[in-house]
Amino acid sequence: MQKKPFVTKEKLEQINRAFPTPYHLYDEAGIRRTARSLLAAFSWHENYREHYAVKACPNPFILEILKEEGCGVDCASMAELKLAHACGFEGEQIMFSSNETPAEEYEYARTLGAIINLDDITHIPFLAEHGGIPKRICLRYNPGGAFHVSPTCMGEPGTSKYGMTREQIFEAVRQLRALGAEEFALHAFLASNALDNAYYAANARVLFELAADVHRELGVPFFMVNLSGGVGIPYRPDEAMPDIALIGREVERTFEEVMVPAGLWDTRISTELGRFMTGPHGLLITKAVHEKHIYKEYIGVDACAANLMRPAMYGAYHHITVMGKEDAPCDHMYDVVGSLCENNDKFAIDRMLPKIDMGDILAIHDTGAHGFAMGYNYNGRLRSAEVLLNEDGSFRLIRRAETLSDYFATLCFDPEDPLCAALSHAAD
Ligand SMILES: *Cc1c(COP(=O)(O)O)cnc(C)c1O
């Protein structure tokens, strides 16, 4: 299947006149469409809620769109909690699924009334001291071993740092109950970027069965099961988008089979999807600025791995469209590379593309989640702008590009210091 960008070349040329490349462009209409399809898929449960994983795209303008669609948020740090609060999320609209959590973050999450998702049993006395044990609390489960859904879909919980063992979950419930907790929830994240429609219900079954067992043995009520993230997106043109309606029905069937007979029909279902929600609705827009002909053919672009780390970090595939050449034959093999002094700074390796000319606009697909968010400043490369394509076809800046002054700001301690003046002068 051909992967098509959600904008035309003409629209990009118009945006480029206002905001120079590189930038991430997000599609409001697409984000709303996906949010609605997810909420419809889980509408069989009257108390369903999606807590969008803020880390996937931590921009308040995106969070506000999702809020309007009825989503909550999932946070894991002080900055994410503060962003959520600034966007008007409150109380149980906020999940706090952190790990190795600093004391002040528990304290702040408690003042917001967020649902604390406890990553480890040793955090119980820590939380008791910093913020206090809430009446309703969520526990993160790690079943260990390997989690096989199908030959193409698996996770390795046994080597993952998150969550508690089965024995620890039972023990944590006992300890928390003694400290005043009354209602419990469970959470687990067993595989990432799963394209198999069976994944989410398999993850749900693990949680539902554990909730039923804990309920039977300890008699505690469960207010929620949180299926976490992990539903994937088709980064490659030959992959298919998971069928979210089918996934919703499969989770429903599992709920009917496990939770209802256990007397847990009242337990709320939530999700913490990030990638699935916004991933396909972002593009990294960049320009071809250099070409190089040595042992291989290289196209140098004005974006680099600091703007999109996934290819360098995981060898991840991101589709590339050369704008205006959608129907041209892909008869040139290129490495499409950024400017970092790091040989893994390659958006594509041995990629068959149409002939690229200097100044061509390249759209790098599926950067709406874990794209800008994973940015960094290596080589003094600056974070790009983020632009939102509004539903009506107009566009607006939702984050300006970083400047050299931003980059130098943390080096300036005393405005009287000549170094400060020199850096400020250099940034102009
Ligand atoms: C990253 C993360 C998510 C979102 O994962 P996706 O793969 O983007 O769906 C959800 N929950 C937790 C706890 C996470 O760390």
Side-chain angles (χ1 to χ4, degrees):
M1 215 181 67
Q2 201 187 1
K3 272 176 88 82
K4 286 208 176 83
F6 53 78
V7 278
T8 60
K9 182 180 176 211
E10 289 65 39
K11 176 61 79 179
L12 285 178
E13 284 169 344
Q14 195 188 340
I15 301 174
N16 290 353
R17 283 193 286 278
F19 310 114
T21 55
Y23 56 86
H24 287 266
L25 180 69
Y26 305 116
D27 175 25
E28 176 181 9
I31 293 171
R32 289 190 188 277
R33 208 166 50 237
T34 295
R36 287 172 198 173
S37 72
L38 176 70
L39 267 59
F42 285 87
S43 60
W44 53 269
H45 198 295
E46 62 180 24
N47 280 325
Y48 166 73
R49 179 177 282 149
E50 154 70 359
H51 296 268
Y52 176 68
V54 173
K55 72 164 192 263
C57 191
N59 186 301
F61 297 91
I62 301 295
L63 299 183
E64 273 168 3
I65 293 171
L66 291 165
K67 184 160 185 281
E68 283 173 16
E69 294 297 332
C71 298
V73 281
D74 165 43
C75 302
S77 68
M78 185 63 93
E80 291 176 5
L81 286 168
K82 297 246 167 181
L83 266 177
H85 182 55
C87 291
F89 293 98
E90 53 185 31
E92 292 200 346
Q93 292 176 324
I94 307 173
M95 277 297 302
F96 187 50
S97 296
S98 61
N99 65 97
E100 319 319 323
T101 314
E104 63 273 19
E105 296 186 6
Y106 273 140
E107 283 159 9
Y108 185 62
R110 291 287 286 123
T111 67
L112 295 181
I115 301 173
I116 305 290
N117 185 13
L118 218 53
D119 183 64
D120 193 59
I121 193 165
T122 61
H123 286 216
I124 295 173
F126 190 77
L127 177 64
E129 192 174 331
H130 303 286
I133 302 295
K135 289 222 169 359
R136 286 149 74 93
I137 190 161
C138 185
L139 303 176
R140 186 163 181 170
Y141 175 47
N142 181 331
F147 181 66
H148 281 278
V149 178
S150 65
T152 56
C153 179
M154 60 190 106
E156 293 285 341
T159 55
S160 125
K161 68 172 177 170
Y162 308 107
M164 306 178 216
T165 67
R166 181 180 167 91
E167 292 67 33
Q168 286 173 337
I169 293 282
F170 282 82
E171 179 55 25
V173 168
R174 286 191 199 95
Q175 289 183 15
L176 286 162
R177 196 168 49 176
L179 292 169
E182 293 168 0
E183 294 178 57
F184 294 85
L186 286 176
H187 168 284
F189 191 155
L190 302 181
S192 189
N193 192 27
L195 289 171
D196 191 319
N197 286 323
Y199 163 68
Y200 222 37
N203 190 55
R205 177 176 293 276
V206 168
L207 287 167
F208 292 164
E209 287 177 347
L210 180 59
D213 289 350
V214 175
H215 179 65
R216 196 177 315 109
E217 202 162 310
L218 302 177
V220 292
F222 277 88
F223 71 95
M224 178 181 77
V225 171
N226 183 333
L227 308 180
S228 84
V231 175
I233 57 168
Y235 286 100
R236 293 173 182 274
D238 59 352
E239 292 169 339
M241 184 62 93
D243 179 345
I244 199 66
L246 173 64
I247 290 169
R249 285 197 302 277
E250 291 292 304
V251 172
E252 178 181 18
R253 209 165 49 82
T254 313
F255 186 87
E256 300 284 338
E257 197 184 312
V258 183
M259 294 290 274
V260 174
L264 294 172
W265 48 269
D266 216 9
T267 302
R268 175 209 307 175
I269 298 292
S270 33
T271 57
E272 274 175 1
L273 298 172
R275 193 187 314 274
F276 178 80
M277 298 297 282
T278 54
H281 309 304
L283 296 168
L284 174 56
I285 306 300
T286 185
K287 243 180 209 169
V289 291
H290 288 286
E291 58 188 308
K292 178 163 180 170
H293 319 279
I294 49 171
Y295 309 101
K296 302 181 79 173
E297 292 295 300
Y298 292 93
I299 295 295
V301 295
D302 60 6
C304 67
N307 307 114
L308 175 67
M309 193 189 211
R310 298 186 72 259
M313 190 171 185
Y314 311 118
Y317 180 96
H318 277 263
H319 198 66
I320 297 178
T321 298
V322 184
M323 298 305 296
K325 298 184 177 175
E326 288 82 350
D327 299 318
C330 292
D331 53 4
H332 283 64
M333 187 162 78
Y334 293 116
D335 281 14
V336 178
V337 304
S339 59
L340 295 187
C341 302
E342 203 25 280
N343 195 41
N344 65 3
D345 185 10
K346 298 184 175 185
F347 291 117
I349 296 173
D350 295 339
R351 184 78 56 90
M352 296 308 296
L353 291 165
K355 178 173 187 309
I356 295 176
D357 296 298
M358 294 306 91
D360 277 355
I361 304 171
L362 274 57
I364 304 181
H365 289 244
D366 301 311
T367 70
H370 315 300
F372 177 94
M374 293 174 85
Y376 56 109
N377 277 129
Y378 193 49
N379 266 158
R381 291 291 161 206
L382 304 177
R383 287 179 174 77
S384 78
E386 296 181 289
V387 179
L388 182 65
L389 182 64
N390 299 315
E391 263 188 312
D392 64 4
S394 62
F395 58 88
R396 67 188 156 129
L397 192 64
I398 57 171
R399 186 192 303 265
R400 69 162 171 81
E402 231 173 17
T403 63
L404 281 178
S405 311
D406 297 327
Y407 182 75
F408 292 148
T410 49
L411 300 168
C412 197
F413 310 107
D414 170 9
E416 303 300 314
D417 185 337
L419 175 66
C420 264
L423 288 173
S424 145
H425 184 69
D428 286 338

